[in-house]
Amino acid sequence: MAVMAVHQFAQCITCHAWSPDQSMVALCPNNNEVHIYRLVEDKWEKVHVLQKHDQVVSGIDWSTRSNRIVTASHDRNSYVWNLEGSEWVPTLVILRLNRAALCVQWSPKENKFAVGSGAKTVCICYYEQENNWWVSKLIRKRHDSSVTSVSWHPNNILLATTSTDGKCRVFSTFIKGVDAKDSVKGTLSDSKFGELIVQLDLSSSWTFGVKWSPSGNTLAYVGHNSMIYFVDDVGPSPLAQNVVFCDLPLRDVLFVSERTVIGVGFDCNPMVFAADERGIWSFIRYLGERKTASSPSRYGSQFSEAFGKFYGQSKHGVSNDTVDTSRTRGAVHENCINSIIPLGEHGALTRRFSTSGLDGRIVLWDLENEHDILEL
């Protein structure tokens, strides 16, 4: 199996992020604090507690170049933390939100970060040296509901979002004085801040976990209807396809290569999706050992099986006559996996990554010996 290590940090983890050298991990134990652990002699020791938020921290991202941590919370605030000496010092971020901040991510050049919110807006934040704070420009009136995830294109300009209105959107975030004009090529060179590049109406349910491929040519996101969507040639005429599976919905995805995606979610076991030589995406297998892939004939019973899952089981691991008793929860996680984070530099191939979930565990995965996945 691809599991390297399993660490129990809390009863529940809402989000996590790694330091640039992976020697420390920052996580939220489902409260208003961020705990930072360092690996000391094969044991994780709590070395810092970041206390500034008033409500649950919903997003953490740790920059790889500047070693800064950005956090977002349901208290409608965001902070950028800088390590000064031995202490993490917060810097104010002016978000101007009237609803919870739900997700946050640094841009590839780390001169901006994006915050999705329950106020139907996305905040694009950048630093003002004169006032020593981070200010934001808002993308308004584009979403019809909460923004659940954000993802930066490798060009540092395009931003993809998902929302509980069932749509995935791509925006231009070009800010004069922050972004270089030559960083945008082609028809996007004249795009203005907040301009909607494309809106994808592929899902009839909530959407989550949007990600770009390493090249930026493919976009993937998931729906709460147990479907995953892949979009090529993002622009006026995108090429889209979807994959239906018979398990519980996914919450997040990660491109481990240009043609391979790992999805995680309510089924507690990472799922592998890949594209063939024709560019057709399909489900390959589960990454954990305790599950076997469903046969194609089971796909027709998705509706009835879903009802059995939601109403016929009182808790994870307990089955009745409605559900196939040979299907069990993941061998590692015991509750919903809510995030998947790459370990190391973001390149064309990601061999190592981590997952965290509502069971309070962070699991480290290594694909080094998963030859069937690396060869896809």
Side-chain angles (χ1 to χ4, degrees), residues 306-328:
F307 267 76
K309 283 177 179 288
F310 283 110
Y311 297 105
Q313 294 179 219
S314 59
K315 60 182 180 179
H316 290 310
V318 178
S319 303
N320 60 15
D321 294 337
T322 315
V323 183
D324 186 353
T325 56
S326 65
R327 299 166 64 86
T328 59

Side-chain angles (χ1 to χ4, degrees), residues 19-64:
S19 63
D21 60 358
Q22 287 90 55
S23 64
M24 294 187 289
V25 61
L27 60 91
C28 172
N30 198 32
N31 59 20
N32 63 331
E33 299 176 344
V34 174
H35 296 180
I36 299 179
Y37 289 83
R38 182 193 297 273
L39 186 61
V40 180
E41 296 180 354
D42 297 328
K43 292 184 179 181
W44 290 97
E45 294 184 1
K46 188 189 300 182
V47 293
H48 299 284
V49 178
L50 309 186
Q51 296 176 310
K52 195 67 176 178
H53 290 288
D54 297 326
Q55 295 183 29
V56 171
V57 176
S58 51
I60 305 172
D61 199 14
W62 201 324
S63 62
T64 57

Side-chain angles (χ1 to χ4, degrees), residues 72-121:
S73 167
H74 289 182
D75 62 7
R76 301 172 293 171
N77 292 320
S78 179
Y79 293 95
V80 174
W81 304 79
N82 295 275
L83 185 61
E84 299 181 3
S86 60
E87 297 295 327
W88 287 94
V89 178
T91 303
L92 178 65
V93 181
I94 309 299
L95 290 184
R96 297 177 291 160
L97 292 178
N98 58 6
R99 294 291 187 275
L102 301 178
C103 53
V104 64
Q105 188 182 56
W106 285 106
S107 68
K109 294 184 179 179
E110 299 178 9
N111 59 343
K112 303 181 289 186
F113 62 88
V115 179
S117 74
K120 308 178 186 178
T121 61

Side-chain angles (χ1 to χ4, degrees), residues 1-9 13 16 18 25 27 44 264 268-270 287-288 330-335 337 339-343 352-357 359-366:
M1 186 157 57
V3 175
M4 284 197 305
V6 181
H7 303 287
Q8 185 78 44
F9 286 99
I13 295 176
H16 78 287
W18 292 90
V25 61
L27 60 91
W44 290 97
V264 297
C268 313
N269 201 342
L287 197 56
V332 183
H333 280 287
E334 295 181 349
N335 208 329
I337 306 174
S339 65
I340 178 170
I341 306 294
L343 295 174
R352 299 169 62 241
F353 57 89
S354 66
T355 57
S356 66
D359 55 3
R361 295 177 179 178
I362 291 181
V363 180
L364 306 182
W365 304 79
D366 191 349

